[in-house]
Amino acid sequence: MPKQLKKIRFQVGVFLFGIILRWYVYNVKLLPLLEDDNSWVNWYKWIYYPTYRSCLGPSSPASFLYKFKSAITSKIAVLLYAIYLTHKIIIHPGQAQIVKLNLVVDS
């Protein structure tokens, strides 16, 4: 099997493992705790921080994925970081509009 094909299969496997792991964490760890008063803490603990860390992982020299120098993982990391930055930009103007509707902004 060519080296490039092995590399792609590994990357697809890591990606699919991440998706399956997040599905498991969401359904088993987070959903039972959604009615809790501290559900936001659980959201950050089980969903936000692991996702944020995985966005930085492919582009970080400390990551095992970094040594592969893959264009695919680099593009995924850039895309996910762009989505992260976009959501940060949208949150604040969105909250300002919610306040105008006399709704409570809890963040």
Side-chain angles (χ1 to χ4, degrees):
M1 183 179 305
K3 189 175 185 179
Q4 186 68 18
L5 184 57
K6 285 183 181 181
K7 189 174 172 181
I8 291 171
R9 290 177 80 184
F10 174 75
Q11 291 168 344
V12 169
V14 168
F15 178 78
L16 290 175
F17 175 75
I19 295 293
I20 291 167
L21 183 62
R22 280 178 181 74
W23 177 86
Y24 170 81
V25 166
Y26 180 79
N27 286 293
V28 175
K29 297 287 189 180
L30 189 63
L31 280 182
L33 302 172
L34 282 182
E35 299 300 320
D36 186 2
D37 288 340
N38 290 327
S39 62
W40 65 274
V41 173
N42 295 313
W43 174 263
Y44 276 93
K45 178 180 177 181
W46 294 107
I47 301 294
Y48 179 78
Y49 287 123
T51 302
Y52 177 73
R53 293 292 302 157
S54 69
C55 290
L56 296 177
S59 59
S60 170
S63 170
F64 74 96
L65 292 174
Y66 185 79
K67 70 178 181 179
F68 288 105
K69 302 288 185 203
S70 167
I72 293 171
T73 55
S74 295
K75 287 179 183 177
I76 290 171
V78 168
L79 175 65
L80 292 175
Y81 190 61
I83 291 169
Y84 166 76
L85 290 177
T86 303
H87 106 273
K88 296 300 270 183
I89 293 168
I90 292 172
I91 294 272
H92 297 292
Q95 287 176 338
Q97 297 305 314
I98 289 171
V99 168
K100 288 180 182 178
L101 297 171
N102 295 322
L103 298 173
V104 177
V105 177
D106 186 21
S107 69

